[in-house]
Amino acid sequence: DGGITQSPKYLFRKEGQNVTLSCEQNLNHDAMYWYRQDPGQGLRLIYYSQIVNDFQKGDIAEGYSVSREKKESFPLTVTSAQKNPTAFYLCASSMAVTVYEQYFGPGTRLTVT
Amino acid sequence: GQNIDQPTEMTATEGAIVQINCTYQTSGFNGLFWYQQHAGEAPTFLSYNVLDGLEEKGRFSSFLSRSKGYSYLLLKELQMKDSASYLCAVRDKRWDYKLSFGAGTTVTVRA
């Protein structure tokens, strides 16, 4: 069964701690993305990667970091520099950036107190 | 970025039709997507328009007018399970083909 997995579904952290959200896909997609969703707002792009070992900043990259060492995996680290980290984080993938729709994972709801 | 506007909320009765409008402004338009998102879940792809006209897929249809910067998603024969948020997203070739999302329209279907 092909798809995107994100774990965990819910994550709780104390302020000042870094936390890494995992995203794995077995769809053989080249492109992967991280979005953040806040109530009443559209999805906002944090980082995206068009190919292994390459990634670009999205619209709200400050306080976040990513890596793309394997085609299947695109982990997101929320650092202590992110001012408002509590949000719903969605990972997505597509065959390529320029064409085709994006498929989304189930999301991770991060709460930082 | 770009402005993508859609209504915040809509309510309709089971069995009825609802039309969700989306307007956008971009000079690098490269496709418009509609996604459905149930509360707390991942968005799922509904439709894609890149040329003007109507795309029909079962109970759902999507229309695009590039000259007007306008799209709509038409949901027919509404069912309770259609209660969800509907997201309009525009791909822009000026911005590396990234998607920009509207805030979403929450549709509530009442019995």
Side-chain angles (χ1 to χ4, degrees), chain B residues 3 6 30 34 36 46 63 75 79-80 95 101:
Chain B
N3 292 328
Q6 46 181 134
N30 191 253
W34 283 98
Q36 180 191 60
L46 289 178
F63 171 83
L75 315 181
Q79 302 176 10
M80 300 299 285
W95 305 110
F101 284 81

Side-chain angles (χ1 to χ4, degrees), chain A residues 23-39:
Chain A
C23 177
E24 304 277 331
Q25 55 99 0
N26 61 3
L27 298 167
N28 200 33
H29 286 171
D30 283 319
M32 295 187 75
Y33 316 80
W34 274 105
Y35 292 92
R36 170 185 172 133
Q37 188 173 36
D38 295 283

Side-chain angles (χ1 to χ4, degrees), chain A residues 53-92:
Chain A
N53 292 321
D54 184 57
F55 50 82
Q56 288 81 39
K57 292 182 180 179
D59 300 319
I60 55 165
E62 187 176 346
Y64 299 97
S65 66
V66 293
S67 63
R68 185 87 187 275
E69 296 173 4
K70 297 187 298 183
K71 187 174 185 177
E72 310 80 46
S73 179
F74 192 40
L76 173 75
T77 296
V78 184
T79 75
S80 56
Q82 168 49 231
K83 302 242 185 297
N84 295 298
T86 295
F88 188 46
Y89 290 88
L90 287 159
C91 178

Side-chain angles (χ1 to χ4, degrees), chain A residues 9 37 42 48 50 97 102 105, chain B residues 35 37 40 42 91 96 98 102-103:
Chain A
K9 179 85 173 159
Q37 188 173 36
Y48 65 106
Q50 300 188 54
V97 170
Q102 294 180 16
Chain B
Y35 283 85
Q37 185 180 25
R91 186 165 58 204
D96 209 15
K98 292 179 290 186

